[in-house]
Amino acid sequence: MRWARVSVVTTHEGADLIGNILMELGAAGTEIDDPSLVNEYIDAGLWDYTDLPRAEDTDTVTVRAYLPEDERLEGSLLTLAERVENLRRAAAAIGAAAISHTFVADEDWAETWKAYIHTEKIGEHIVVRPTWEEYSPAADEIVIDLDPGAAFGTGAHATTAMCLRWLERIVSPSLRVYDVGCGSGILSIAASKLGADDVVAMDYDPVAVAVAEENIRQNAVSNVRVLQSDLLTACAGMPPAQIIIANIIADIIIRLFGQLDRHLAPGGTLLASGIIDDRIVDVERAAAEHGFVVLDITREKEWAAMIIRRSADLAD
């Protein structure tokens, strides 16, 4: 499979707006090329040696994302152009917002991302280590070895990081966990290593399913299964889960509420993330309409993660 590497030249103020659009069009992550950061590193002396010149134009940044070359690509590119134009008409500070794209193969995509992914500790115990780096963990650290491949999800993005921190708090032994839209499988692996008894990872994208399966093998977590599924449809006939994770986007989370009663155990928790700030109210409204309530919200940058439970369970 080939991927379209989509680039949008914008401003610092516009980077998050453009990034949100790309995520909602199906990109699993974004890369921001910010020349001012290079200058900051040079000035701070954080590199022993660099031959990089200081950037002269620090007012513009480039936001990049990868979209699969499939039947949806043309429509996604047209939608991107339309939404960028809508931002321009609304006088959003997005600068030129010039859009371009090139094509790369799977292996080129993976190699490109290696330059931006490094070992990172997230939360109190979880360390995410890309498979090409060495790391010696402390005694209380839980290491997840990860090769995101063509299904991005490393813990570096705020939505995933918030989920990992919540999982440290809510996962306990004997729990069953369903991970909807599992991507690279990072959250399923974390749930298993934190003590969950049975974990089912699901994704609609067959590429993500293959990548998650490989990451699960890499981490030797034998109690995690991966299924190709539209939301929770593949769980028909399975016992309900005590925790359901949905690190996707607001519109898909809103769809998910219609399936929760069949698949979330009494007293269970929905951990929902991937929600941009201006969609929080929409998710809260959908939760209430289906008999659920948002108990807690954490925010990072312009993203939110929610802890959601049934209203009836709280009354018991």
Side-chain angles (χ1 to χ4, degrees):
M1 176 183 288
R2 293 200 311 169
W3 297 77
R5 180 167 57 197
V6 182
S7 301
V8 183
V9 179
T10 184
T11 62
H12 291 90
E13 295 86 350
D16 282 344
L17 293 172
I18 300 297
N20 289 342
I21 293 172
L22 289 166
M23 294 286 285
E24 291 180 352
L25 289 175
T30 58
E31 164 197 334
I32 298 179
D33 183 359
D34 185 350
S36 66
L37 293 180
V38 175
N39 288 355
E40 288 179 14
Y41 268 66
I42 293 173
D43 294 341
L46 297 177
W47 288 325
D48 293 332
Y49 169 77
T50 178
D51 58 358
L52 290 175
R54 286 182 58 81
E56 295 183 3
D57 178 10
T58 58
D59 293 331
T60 61
V61 299
T62 302
V63 182
R64 297 189 183 91
Y66 292 82
L67 299 174
E69 185 187 20
D70 57 19
E71 68 279 0
R72 297 169 295 180
L73 177 60
E74 182 177 356
S76 295
L77 293 174
L78 290 172
T79 299
L80 172 62
E82 179 182 359
R83 294 189 62 179
V84 166
E85 183 59 29
N86 288 341
L87 288 175
R88 187 178 287 110
R89 290 172 181 166
I94 59 173
I99 303 171
S100 62
H101 69 275
T102 58
F103 290 99
V104 296
D106 273 347
E107 58 272 16
D108 297 330
W109 187 96
E111 290 300 318
T112 298
W113 278 103
K114 285 185 179 181
Y116 301 93
I117 300 171
H118 303 287
T119 301
E120 183 173 1
K121 186 170 185 178
I122 301 168
E124 295 184 12
H125 304 289
I126 294 174
V127 175
V128 181
R129 183 189 74 91
T131 55
W132 55 88
E133 287 195 352
E134 297 293 331
Y135 182 76
S136 298
D140 65 342
E141 290 181 339
I142 297 171
V143 177
I144 299 175
D145 293 327
L146 199 70
D147 182 356
F152 194 76
T154 66
H157 195 274
T159 59
T160 307
M162 286 188 289
C163 284
L164 289 170
R165 296 186 191 107
W166 270 115
L167 289 175
E168 287 188 335
R169 297 169 60 180
I170 67 176
V171 172
S172 59
S174 303
L175 295 186
R176 178 177 294 106
V177 177
Y178 290 160
D179 180 8
V180 182
C182 65
S184 67
I186 182 173
L187 299 179
S188 294
I189 295 166
S192 174
K193 292 196 173 191
L194 287 166
D197 185 59
D198 181 33
V199 183
V200 181
M202 292 159 274
D203 205 289
Y204 184 77
D205 183 356
V207 175
V209 169
V211 171
E213 287 175 336
E214 179 57 33
N215 285 324
I216 287 163
R217 283 192 292 270
Q218 176 75 26
N219 284 272
V221 284
S222 59
N223 63 340
V224 182
R225 292 171 286 164
V226 188
L227 304 174
Q228 185 174 357
S229 177
D230 181 8
L231 298 183
L232 290 161
T233 55
C235 294
M238 296 184 187
Q242 286 75 37
I243 297 175
I244 294 179
I245 308 165
N247 182 23
I248 30 185
I249 60 174
D251 287 332
I252 307 302
I253 291 167
I254 289 169
R255 279 184 54 207
L256 182 64
F257 280 115
Q259 300 183 10
L260 282 186
D261 270 335
R262 298 191 299 275
H263 300 292
L264 184 64
T269 299
L270 170 66
L271 169 55
S273 188
I275 305 161
I276 58 175
D277 282 346
D278 61 5
R279 300 300 306 279
I280 289 174
V281 173
D282 296 333
V283 175
E284 289 176 323
R285 183 184 302 113
E289 289 173 353
H290 288 84
F292 289 82
V293 61
V294 177
L295 293 181
D296 205 343
I297 301 177
T298 54
R299 292 181 172 90
E300 188 170 330
K301 298 180 180 177
E302 294 192 0
W303 299 95
M306 299 178 173
I307 293 293
I308 301 172
R309 293 182 64 190
R310 285 188 186 87
S311 302
D313 291 338
L314 301 176
D316 294 341

